Amino acid sequence: MIAASAKIHPLSVVEDGAVIGENVVIGPFCHVGAKVVLDDEVELLTHVVVTGRTTIGRGTRIFPSAVIGGDPQSIHHAGEETTLTVGERNVIREGVTMNTGTTGGGGKTVVGDGNLFLAYSHIAHDCIVGNGVILSNNVMLAGHVTVEDRAILGGGSAVHQFARVGRHAFVGGLSAVAYDVIPYGMLNGNPGILGGINVVGMSRSGMDKATIHRVRRAFKQIFEGDGSIRANAAAIRDEYFDSEQVLHILDFIAADSDRALSSPNRNKG
């Protein structure tokens, strides 16, 4: 079904079965698969491929040479029908690739709203990406990675499969994210070392100095205390019952994960 207001260049291919919303613009030399849904006001500039069982949310813009909804790059994938869902108002720049999920990983890759994916960044199968995330050029997310809201990953950084990057975290360019990065954390290097909290990002998001100071204090208690990271985190929960930000960190640490936690001290778990 193609809305009457959609504008599709005659040099593009839209397969029968695709759903094209109101005011969608499809430029020349694009290919849209039969199981694709493009919501209202989506724009494909030129030379864009959207394939698989993929839904692209309202107002998302996709730049040349992006391939969205390709099969997962997994030796375990045997052609099963899985999905990719991309939310609203995303900007997907040149050469970006996003894959559908795998049956073993839940069958879906999910991307939220208002994200910016710079050129040649990659989102692998079964990833979950939140809202307001920035992936800089050539960032690579392996399979089953979770990136929470408003995290920023610098150019050329790579995230190990099953790792988590917490909300408002910052990952420096060319960093290797082998382990989970706590919310509001700042990680740099290869291998990545947690260097503190993302003060600049927190300030830009509107957090006041008192809030940032409490998060910094909690960070020191967690990572510089006498016990293990998880024991230290559990011990301070009552102290920070009224701090939304610190509780984000404590809940993140307490959650089940396939990866260890990034820290300033590699020998402390």
Side-chain angles (χ1 to χ4, degrees):
M1 182 177 68
I2 300 176
S5 60
K7 297 178 180 179
I8 302 174
H9 196 282
L11 294 178
S12 284
V13 174
V14 177
E15 296 184 14
D16 291 343
V19 177
I20 310 299
E22 298 289 346
N23 300 309
V24 167
V25 176
I26 299 176
F29 306 109
C30 296
H31 192 120
V32 178
K35 298 177 181 177
V36 169
V37 176
L38 303 182
D39 286 346
D40 297 348
E41 300 174 10
V42 166
E43 182 179 6
L44 314 183
L45 273 72
T46 183
H47 293 86
V48 174
V49 175
V50 185
T51 186
R53 188 169 287 280
T54 297
T55 298
I56 307 294
R58 183 186 186 104
T60 289
R61 299 185 75 215
I62 308 180
F63 283 68
S65 300
V67 180
I68 310 301
D71 286 349
Q73 299 178 92
S74 169
I75 61 173
H76 303 294
H77 181 66
E80 302 93 344
E81 187 170 274
T82 56
T83 66
L84 167 66
T85 302
V86 177
E88 300 182 351
R89 305 180 314 281
N90 291 285
V91 176
I92 300 173
R93 294 302 302 255
E94 295 82 357
V96 169
T97 50
M98 299 183 184
N99 296 155
T100 57
T102 62
T103 54
K108 59 184 180 180
T109 303
V110 180
V111 174
D113 302 331
N115 301 298
L116 174 59
F117 304 107
L118 297 185
Y120 301 100
S121 53
H122 173 66
I123 298 176
H125 58 86
D126 306 297
C127 286
I128 306 295
V129 177
N131 305 316
V133 169
I134 298 175
L135 302 189
S136 300
N137 297 62
N138 300 297
V139 168
M140 297 170 285
L141 304 185
H144 312 276
V145 164
T146 297
V147 180
E148 295 182 350
D149 295 350
R150 300 195 68 168
I152 298 175
L153 281 72
S157 57
V159 184
H160 192 284
Q161 61 185 5
F162 293 100
R164 300 176 297 153
V165 179
R167 67 183 68 190
H168 288 272
F170 179 85
V171 174
L174 302 178
S175 295
V177 183
Y179 305 114
D180 292 348
V181 182
I182 62 167
Y184 312 101
M186 187 163 58
L187 181 136
N188 282 285
N190 184 359
I193 299 292
L194 192 65
I197 63 168
N198 182 18
V199 173
V200 172
M202 295 170 73
S203 297
R204 288 176 176 172
S205 69
M207 296 182 197
D208 59 29
K209 290 182 179 179
T211 297
I212 295 171
H213 177 75
R214 291 195 79 191
V215 174
R216 180 186 281 122
R217 182 170 180 269
F219 179 92
K220 291 182 178 180
Q221 291 172 293
I222 293 167
F223 291 101
E224 297 178 12
D226 293 333
S228 69
I229 292 170
R230 286 179 171 81
N232 291 340
I236 66 171
R237 181 173 287 273
D238 289 345
E239 181 180 350
Y240 292 96
F241 73 94
D242 58 345
S243 172
E244 177 184 0
Q245 293 76 22
V246 175
L247 290 178
H248 288 158
I249 296 172
L250 301 184
D251 290 342
F252 185 93
I253 292 171
D256 291 335
S257 177
D258 292 288
R259 305 299 296 167
L261 286 162
S262 298
S263 75
N265 180 355
R266 293 200 165 276
N267 298 317
K268 189 172 184 180

